[in-house]
Amino acid sequence: MLRSSENMKPLAWLAAGALSLATAIPVTAVAEPGSDKWTYSAQIYFWMPEINVTTANGGDVDISFHDILQDLKMTFMGNVAAYKGKWSLFADGAYLNIYEDDSYTESVPILGGRRDLEVDVDAGVNMKAFVGTLGATYNVFDNQKVTANLVGGARYLWIDVDLNLDLSSTGPLGRPLGREINDNPSGDVWDGILGVNGKVNLNDKWYMPYYADVGTGQSDLTWQAQAGVGYKFKHADALLTYRYLHYEFDSGDALDDLTIKGPQVGAKFYF
């Protein structure tokens, strides 16, 4: 389960926003039914979301894609799939490493609120996260115009955060005060998912892929929806979609809920 710490408060939204970039795993692979031979695809993609987070203490934070991109150290997102007949198997994973530091001054009421103590804060957070999805699809409808597949599988989220806070101030009697806080909150959740995916062919080149799932397990609820347009080349597809992912966590976790939404571009290769 995801675990929280009271010492995370000054930068909790940064860690939450960073993990959110990695927490959505797209499953855009769509089976091509009818072939008795194994065929395969591999996709790389880049998601450009905005993130809305509600923390366990009721705080709301909105983080833009520009802010996330500025602090990104490393990321990889991709999936592979294998198809045979009406069945397909897929594996999808994303890794994220993000670092943010900030310095600011916080006013802390003292002496019953009669005066404020100015505290200088140097804060830094390094967050690593991985989200993976394993599953299968089964084709239930295909009339050459519309394809629909049932989806079943599991989604896994792992988060590790290194947090450092350096607090310093001058006390009421003019004496310097200081404290350093180091914390390493971490956690993981497993959720089973069920859904549907497919595509609508517009002509021999253009099509509209779609995907939706809902699940639960160690989180209270997770669901995802994605749709857009794709263009077929000889051995690859170019994709532009819009994605929406939502998580609701158990009470007592670091986050209450998070939503990640935004456009995604990608390329899928067949072999």
Side-chain angles (χ1 to χ4, degrees):
M1 305 296 289
L2 298 176
R3 300 188 294 273
S4 64
S5 170
E6 293 181 356
N7 293 336
M8 290 180 61
K9 187 175 179 181
L11 280 187
W13 68 269
L14 295 174
L19 75 91
S20 301
L21 180 63
T23 55
I25 292 298
V27 185
T28 56
V30 178
E32 301 290 349
S35 174
D36 291 331
K37 296 181 179 180
W38 283 103
T39 58
Y40 307 91
S41 71
Q43 182 181 0
I44 56 174
Y45 53 86
F46 187 60
W47 196 15
M48 298 164 282
E50 64 177 81
I51 299 165
N52 310 114
V53 179
T54 302
T55 62
N57 61 10
D60 293 319
V61 178
D62 298 324
I63 307 170
S64 70
F65 170 69
H66 178 265
D67 292 334
I68 296 170
L69 191 62
Q70 281 186 321
D71 302 322
L72 188 63
K73 293 180 64 179
M74 178 182 175
T75 186
F76 175 79
M77 303 177 184
N79 63 57
V80 294
Y83 316 93
K84 185 177 183 180
K86 291 180 174 292
W87 290 93
S88 75
L89 305 173
F90 64 83
D92 199 318
Y95 173 80
L96 176 74
N97 187 339
I98 189 168
Y99 179 79
E100 170 68 36
D101 58 9
D102 195 10
S103 297
Y104 55 93
T105 300
E106 186 79 19
S107 295
V108 179
I110 59 173
L111 301 177
R114 292 192 296 271
R115 59 174 296 186
D116 291 338
L117 179 66
E118 299 299 317
V119 179
D120 295 323
V121 181
D122 291 322
V125 60
N126 184 203
M127 196 279 302
K128 299 176 182 178
F130 173 79
V131 180
T133 302
L134 296 173
T137 74
Y138 181 79
N139 178 253
V140 294
F141 183 80
D142 181 17
N143 66 356
Q144 306 302 316
K145 178 72 173 179
V146 178
T147 301
N149 310 297
L150 296 179
V151 178
R155 187 152 55 226
Y156 174 72
L157 167 65
W158 166 80
I159 309 160
D160 182 79
V161 181
D162 287 320
L163 178 69
N164 177 265
L165 297 176
D166 189 0
L167 312 177
S168 60
S169 181
T170 300
L173 301 178
R175 292 181 298 180
L177 303 174
R179 184 183 180 189
E180 184 174 353
I181 300 172
N182 295 289
D183 204 358
N184 181 227
S186 62
D188 59 354
V189 291
W190 275 101
D191 292 292
I193 58 170
L194 292 174
V196 61
N197 73 352
K199 64 181 179 179
V200 179
N201 291 314
L202 303 178
N203 53 42
D204 61 343
K205 292 292 186 181
W206 291 94
Y207 65 95
M208 297 176 60
Y210 64 88
Y211 175 87
D213 74 34
V214 62
T216 188
Q218 290 183 305
S219 69
D220 281 349
L221 176 70
T222 178
W223 65 271
Q224 179 177 216
Q226 182 175 2
V229 295
Y231 184 83
K232 300 177 182 178
F233 295 94
K234 187 174 181 180
H235 298 294
D237 293 357
L239 295 159
L240 174 62
T241 58
Y242 188 89
R243 228 161 111 210
Y244 191 106
L245 177 78
H246 183 73
Y247 261 96
E248 295 179 11
F249 297 103
D250 295 333
S251 59
D253 288 345
L255 306 180
D256 186 17
D257 62 61
L258 65 87
T259 299
I260 313 102
K261 55 186 178 180
Q264 177 180 294
V265 294
K268 184 163 63 173
F269 304 90
Y270 300 93
F271 51 95

